[in-house]
Amino acid sequence: MIAPPSAETLWEASMRCVPGGIVASYLPPAPARLIIERGLGSRVFDVEGREYLDWILGSASIVLGHAHPAVVEAVSSQVACGTQFYATTEASASLVAELVEAIPCAEQVKLVGDGAEATFYALRLARAATQRDKVLRFSGSYHGHHDYAQVGATGGIPSVINELVLTSPYNDLASAVAVMEQHADQLAAVIVEPFHRVFAPSTGFLEGLRDAATRLGIVLVFDEVVTGFRLAYGGAQERYGVIPDLACYGKSLGGGLPIGAIAGTRNIMELTIAGSNNPTPAFVAGTLNGNPLSCAAALATLKVLRETDAYTYLAKLGEQLRAGLREVAAMSALPLHVTGDAGITGVIVADGDPTDPQILASVDRICAAKLESGLFERGHLVRVPYKWLVSTAHTVDEVDHLLEDVSQVCANLSLRRE
Ligand SMILES: Cc1ncc(COP(=O)(O)O)c(C=O)c1O
């Protein structure tokens, strides 16, 4: 039998063949190497047999834990029936019906490839609906890889896009409404992560955006790529009680398989089809949209979420984690701040006001990297600053175990800092 390639060979190949060795956007803290062999529940295992508790969860794509039996079973059955048709399938038809049922703003949905496609198309639909070109987003937001989402943050964006994307600080309603009023006749959409990075909305912020958007004829887009099916079954719309015109999904929806969705009102969603009063429909389609494997995984994930007490459990673990982290922060000399809601916890190492999203601009990168690295050595996958996530497969004891290790790593770092 031929032996499988060693971790060293695989790591060297990845570093040599991929720029920076970065497959998606996570690398373990240097000099560590991580080649994952498999995941099960709350844990992942590397090819050298090491085990890690996973608090990154496929960048928020996994909500039931790795290789959940219901997802494995659904995908395995679908594989045997064919993996791609470019037409409506039993799985895609069942899924869109469930999404319309589950998502408060959804009269109709379109299945797309991932979260970035969902936000890209939502902005296109908003432009088609309003015949306006500009969009407003919030400083520091992340809506995926496309030009409208990345303007000002990355190279390679046509300079003309700069003029089309306005920004305003999150949770500052007066500033946002002022921009909306000033640009109303050119503004197609306001796109917001209702739970912005690691910050919950302040009282009245989302409601105020909703009112101003309605008054000014601007399309309100919720980017629920992280919050959808994670904060609550009905996402941030259900949790915060504000209903947008369009909402974007990805990540948890697919139970770890690639999928995205745009949901919204019929009058906007139907702009994707030609009609007598819509001679130039807004194109929303891709080869793999509605892929049956992804739809099967999504249906299985949603069924478990719907039929169990998943959201009470995720919130309980999230609260346990935040309470414990706040105790550690209070004892520590590090500028450690803890934010979050329900099963999403934010951990920030920075001097500044932890309720102000601008704090992310002054993260203590060295300290954050040491915290990440100390926890990696103790068998935890986390990112700092980032969301620390729980799945329904995580346990109270595992959260306690993480807290114990955070406490020890912080104690060591504090000693060195003092
Ligand atoms: C809020 C939000 N929107 C959109 C995206 C893009 O999703 P994807 O990377 O699946 O395309 C992300 C990804 O992290 C995200 O966090």
Side-chain angles (χ1 to χ4, degrees):
M1 207 169 89
I2 301 168
S6 68
E8 201 160 309
T9 308
L10 294 167
W11 187 256
E12 186 280 323
S14 187
M15 286 296 166
R16 180 166 41 81
C17 303
V18 180
I22 307 175
V23 171
S25 65
Y26 171 73
L27 271 184
R33 303 177 312 201
L34 174 68
I35 306 277
I36 293 176
E37 182 191 61
R38 67 197 167 89
L40 187 64
S42 56
R43 287 153 199 261
V44 297
F45 302 83
D46 74 11
V47 291
E48 291 177 315
R50 273 188 300 265
E51 186 176 326
Y52 305 82
L53 274 170
D54 185 3
W55 309 97
I56 298 177
L57 291 173
S59 186
S61 307
I62 302 289
V63 67
L64 300 178
H66 296 285
H68 188 282
V71 177
V72 171
E73 154 67 21
V75 174
S76 309
S77 308
Q78 183 61 54
V79 167
C81 297
T83 56
Q84 167 64 5
F85 300 104
Y86 199 55
T88 301
T89 60
E90 191 181 339
S92 73
S94 307
L95 180 60
V96 293
E98 180 50 36
L99 292 177
V100 167
E101 190 69 21
I103 298 171
C105 77
E107 289 175 341
Q108 293 193 318
V109 295
K110 287 285 282 186
L111 298 177
V112 295
D114 59 18
E117 278 190 18
T119 63
F120 173 80
Y121 284 131
L123 296 179
R124 174 177 290 172
L125 281 168
R127 288 191 295 269
T130 56
Q131 301 296 310
R132 303 170 185 165
D133 285 345
K134 293 189 176 173
V135 301
L136 170 63
R137 68 182 173 114
F138 293 91
S139 328
S141 58
Y142 186 78
H143 300 295
H145 54 65
H146 56 82
D147 288 357
Y148 297 93
Q150 286 289 333
V151 69
T154 182
I157 312 270
S159 54
V160 68
I161 303 275
N162 275 311
E163 292 152 31
L164 300 178
V165 181
L166 310 170
T167 52
S168 186
Y170 179 76
N171 269 346
D172 178 345
L173 181 61
S175 298
V177 173
V179 176
M180 290 165 78
E181 285 173 345
Q182 191 191 342
H183 296 270
D185 59 342
Q186 296 169 298
L187 201 53
V190 174
I191 184 165
V192 61
E193 293 170 75
F195 176 92
H196 169 96
R197 306 285 77 208
V198 291
F199 303 97
S202 55
T203 310
F205 179 66
L206 297 175
E207 291 84 346
L209 293 182
R210 174 66 282 175
D211 290 347
T214 305
R215 175 165 57 83
L216 299 166
I218 297 164
V219 176
L220 180 62
V221 182
F222 275 9
D223 177 346
E224 294 240 36
V225 170
V226 169
T227 52
F229 301 101
R230 183 171 290 278
L231 265 191
Y233 195 66
Q237 297 169 54
E238 177 187 315
R239 180 126 183 110
Y240 303 129
V242 178
I243 313 297
D245 302 300
L246 293 176
C248 307
Y249 293 82
K251 301 212 186 233
S252 299
L253 169 61
L257 270 82
I259 197 166
I262 315 149
T265 56
R266 182 179 296 274
N267 61 334
I268 301 181
M269 297 302 292
E270 284 193 340
L271 294 170
T272 54
I273 51 173
S276 53
N277 52 5
N278 189 33
T280 44
F283 185 79
V284 177
T287 304
L288 292 168
N289 291 177
N291 172 264
L293 289 185
S294 298
C295 292
L299 278 169
T301 303
L302 299 193
K303 185 167 189 298
V304 175
L305 290 171
R306 212 170 45 240
E307 293 180 354
T308 59
D309 211 5
Y311 295 101
T312 312
Y313 185 67
L314 293 173
K316 180 178 119 168
L317 292 187
E319 276 151 27
Q320 178 195 351
L321 179 56
R322 286 190 290 283
L325 286 170
R326 286 192 176 115
E327 275 178 32
V328 175
M331 309 278 291
S332 169
L334 308 179
L336 187 66
H337 303 290
V338 184
T339 63
D341 191 14
I344 307 177
T345 296
V347 177
I348 305 165
V349 187
D351 287 309
D353 173 0
T355 62
D356 179 357
Q358 285 303 325
I359 193 174
L360 290 181
S362 51
V363 164
D364 181 337
R365 298 271 161 209
I366 293 174
C367 188
K370 284 184 179 162
L371 177 57
E372 205 175 295
S373 159
L375 287 169
F376 184 86
E377 280 163 21
R378 286 171 162 76
H380 300 276
L381 298 186
V382 294
R383 289 173 77 189
V384 188
Y386 194 63
K387 303 169 186 87
W388 291 18
L389 299 165
V390 287
S391 73
T392 55
H394 283 75
T395 65
V396 167
D397 286 350
E398 287 170 344
V399 173
D400 278 339
H401 178 44
L402 170 64
L403 288 170
E404 179 58 35
D405 285 340
V406 174
S407 168
Q408 284 184 18
V409 173
C410 284
N412 292 342
L413 292 178
S414 298
L415 283 180
R416 273 182 250 153
R417 194 177 154 103
E418 275 163 358

